[in-house]
Amino acid sequence: ELAGVLVRSAAVLDVPARLHQRTGCLLVSVAGGPDRERIVRSAELAPARDPAPPAARAAAC
């Protein structure tokens, strides 16, 4: 099911994706190039934000 979601998601992004069947699993791949770079950039995690300012942390201790 997840492989299907990934392939459909790639189609929404107008990125050609291929589904390969391996022993015991499915592999979804996107060819190298600008499409792959765009996906990788959008999937990068941003640094975690500090939920409380330093003054609030000090007061809570």
Side-chain angles (χ1 to χ4, degrees), residues 5-42:
V5 170
L6 292 172
V7 170
R8 285 190 295 273
S9 299
V12 168
L13 295 171
D14 292 326
V15 174
R18 293 184 183 219
L19 181 63
H20 307 277
Q21 189 166 5
R22 303 283 190 230
T23 304
C25 69
L26 297 171
L27 174 67
V28 178
S29 64
V30 174
D35 291 330
R36 175 180 272 196
E37 294 300 320
R38 183 169 49 105
I39 290 172
V40 170
R41 274 195 316 270
S42 66

